Amino acid sequence: MKEPMTEDLLNELLDSPDPVAFASKHKLACRSLPDYLQRLLDERGLRRPEVVRQAGIGELAYLLPSSSL
């Protein structure tokens, strides 16, 4: 499935009667940042320590939400 362009989504959002209608139409779910980050890691078969090390942000990793990571 091809993802829509950001500009197209913005225009559709602005034309929607309200943000809830837009979110429902696109099946957008409410999720926490830790849950979202974990999903990205899982989808790509990555582990948090590997990503932190490769990004060179070891000293900043404690700032990342980690409740579910």
Side-chain angles (χ1 to χ4, degrees), residues 5-49:
M5 299 291 290
T6 303
E7 184 176 323
D8 295 336
L9 287 173
L10 174 60
N11 289 333
E12 189 175 335
L13 175 59
L14 293 173
D15 291 340
S16 293
D18 62 72
V20 174
F22 176 84
S24 295
K25 179 180 177 183
H26 290 280
K27 298 179 180 144
L28 301 177
C30 292
R31 60 182 172 239
S32 68
L33 180 58
D35 291 341
Y36 175 68
L37 293 174
Q38 185 62 54
R39 191 181 106 220
L40 290 176
L41 290 171
D42 292 344
E43 286 175 358
R44 291 162 176 80
L46 299 170
R47 292 182 49 238
R48 184 174 186 250

